[in-house]
Amino acid sequence: MIEWSPDLIQTIARRRCVIVIGAGVSKNSINDNGKRPDTWEEFLRQCSQEINDKACIEDLLQKKDYLTACDVIKKKLTKDVFIDKVQLEYQRAGYKSADIHSHIYNLDAPIIISPNFDQIYDNYASQTSAGTVIIKDHTSQDTANYLLGGDTRLIIKSHGSANNPEQLIFTRRDYAEARTKYVLFYEILKSLALTHTFLFLGCGTDDPDIRMLFEDIQFAHGRLPFHYMTLPSGEVHCDVLDIAKESMRIRFIEYSAEDGHKELTDSLEDLVIKVEQYRTDELRDSLKW
């Protein structure tokens, strides 16, 4: 079981934590056919099966240059075919929510950021909250209106959703275009990283947005509070983690990936209990939110 930092528990309890849920969270879901959502790499490899001349794609995937590989695949398949595959995999597959989604929801974080194209957590949160959750993406012009606190729950789809495939951030070109067209959105992310603690769940250290955002902030602003990221033990070499820790100010929380990452799900359930205890024992009596 993960030993959660008291500082993190306190920050979540005070609703000063932004939770980022990546593909690893969606992997807990399953549909009626027993299928789980593809990761970025799995989806690109599946798409490449329909391409005859794919030596370049295989080389890019081997180097984990997923952005460029996606550009090449999209061009070879054509935009319409690629979009249909995105929607078939991430919108029409009928994935159901899992226990991990309820634990994340029960942490009562004011802001959830999801780079996932699927809507698994979005649908769960909307249904559980009777439709009161606000969902915005990188193209939204009024996201800042929902950052003022209170009881608002905001979900930010940082790469877009499969139900609006024309606006997905998936390729290297998409990333470059988004940073130019949606400057305000990236300023909002930067502001959140300066004022909130981020907890990354099911994310990787190689996400382009994560690396650029936190490296920019670290070198521009110097000493800042640490953020947190859960990772399966041994997934990333310790030397790489040391560099990421210094350049991105992220503390890594390792756990066992055995039995379908069960330790992470169980630990999040334990975190919910600890956060609720803090809110009851500390905040209610002192009223110091």
Side-chain angles (χ1 to χ4, degrees):
M1 190 78 75
I2 293 173
E3 285 292 329
W4 298 105
S5 162
D7 289 341
L8 178 60
I9 294 171
Q10 177 178 323
T11 300
I12 296 174
R14 294 178 182 275
R15 303 188 87 236
R16 301 297 299 174
C17 181
V18 173
I19 298 178
V20 184
I21 57 174
V25 171
S26 292
K27 267 294 186 184
N28 287 267
S29 299
I30 194 168
N31 67 9
D32 289 338
N33 296 320
K35 186 183 183 308
R36 299 181 186 275
D38 281 349
T39 62
W40 195 1
E41 180 180 359
E42 289 169 348
F43 177 73
L44 294 178
R45 290 193 179 280
Q46 185 64 30
C47 288
S48 71
Q49 297 304 309
E50 299 185 20
I51 299 173
N52 293 324
D53 180 15
K54 55 187 176 185
C56 173
I57 297 171
E58 289 294 338
D59 183 57
L60 290 169
L61 292 176
Q62 188 69 25
K63 295 176 180 176
K64 297 189 181 297
D65 187 354
Y66 302 135
L67 292 177
T68 307
C70 191
D71 264 319
V72 175
I73 290 170
K74 188 175 182 180
K75 183 176 182 180
K76 286 182 176 291
L77 288 178
T78 74
K79 179 180 178 181
D80 290 341
V81 172
F82 183 78
I83 284 177
D84 186 65
K85 287 185 173 297
V86 170
Q87 291 194 305
L88 182 64
E89 175 61 33
Y90 297 110
Q91 184 186 26
R92 304 200 296 266
Y95 301 116
K96 295 176 171 57
S97 61
D99 289 342
I100 195 169
H101 296 102
S102 65
H103 300 330
I104 293 170
Y105 181 87
N106 288 333
L107 288 172
D108 191 29
I111 301 170
I112 300 288
I113 297 178
S114 172
N116 301 330
F117 299 145
D118 65 70
Q119 298 167 279
I120 301 169
Y121 180 79
D122 318 5
N123 291 337
Y124 173 84
S126 293
Q127 182 178 7
T128 304
S129 70
T132 60
V133 168
I134 307 296
I135 302 176
K136 299 292 179 180
D137 66 17
H138 59 286
T139 69
S140 302
Q141 298 297 310
D142 61 344
T143 302
N145 295 339
Y146 301 96
L147 303 177
L148 301 177
D151 295 328
T152 302
R153 284 178 182 254
L154 174 65
I155 298 174
I156 299 177
K157 303 289 287 185
S158 58
H159 292 172
S161 293
N163 66 339
N164 188 15
E166 296 287 345
Q167 298 293 342
L168 291 178
I169 300 177
F170 208 170
T171 68
R172 186 171 298 281
R173 177 185 176 86
D174 294 336
Y175 273 90
E177 183 179 6
R179 291 192 187 100
T180 301
K181 290 178 64 175
Y182 306 111
V183 176
L184 176 60
F185 172 73
Y186 289 99
E187 288 300 316
I188 288 174
L189 290 185
K190 187 177 294 186
S191 297
L192 288 173
L194 287 168
T195 58
H196 291 67
T197 294
F198 276 51
L199 171 60
F200 296 92
L201 302 172
C203 301
T205 58
D206 54 355
D207 183 281
D209 275 346
I210 293 174
R211 293 200 69 91
M212 181 169 290
L213 173 65
F214 285 91
E215 287 174 353
D216 284 354
I217 290 174
Q218 167 67 1
F219 290 115
H221 297 275
R223 183 176 175 81
L224 291 169
F226 274 98
H227 301 281
Y228 298 83
M229 177 182 288
T230 61
L231 283 176
S233 299
E235 182 178 82
V236 181
H237 194 279
C238 60
D239 290 341
V240 176
L241 292 183
D242 286 342
I243 293 173
K245 182 178 180 180
E246 292 177 4
S247 63
M248 299 166 63
R249 295 286 288 181
I250 290 179
R251 285 180 173 152
F252 295 98
I253 305 170
E254 296 190 77
Y255 66 90
S256 170
E258 293 183 0
D259 196 15
H261 299 251
K262 185 176 183 296
E263 183 176 14
L264 178 58
T265 297
D266 291 344
S267 295
L268 285 172
E269 184 177 20
D270 179 61
L271 180 59
V272 171
I273 294 172
K274 286 180 166 56
V275 167
E276 290 178 346
Q277 284 179 339
Y278 188 91
R279 285 175 176 151
T280 299
D281 299 340
E282 300 292 334
L283 299 183
R284 186 192 62 183
D285 295 336
S286 67
L287 299 179
K288 292 180 179 180
W289 285 79

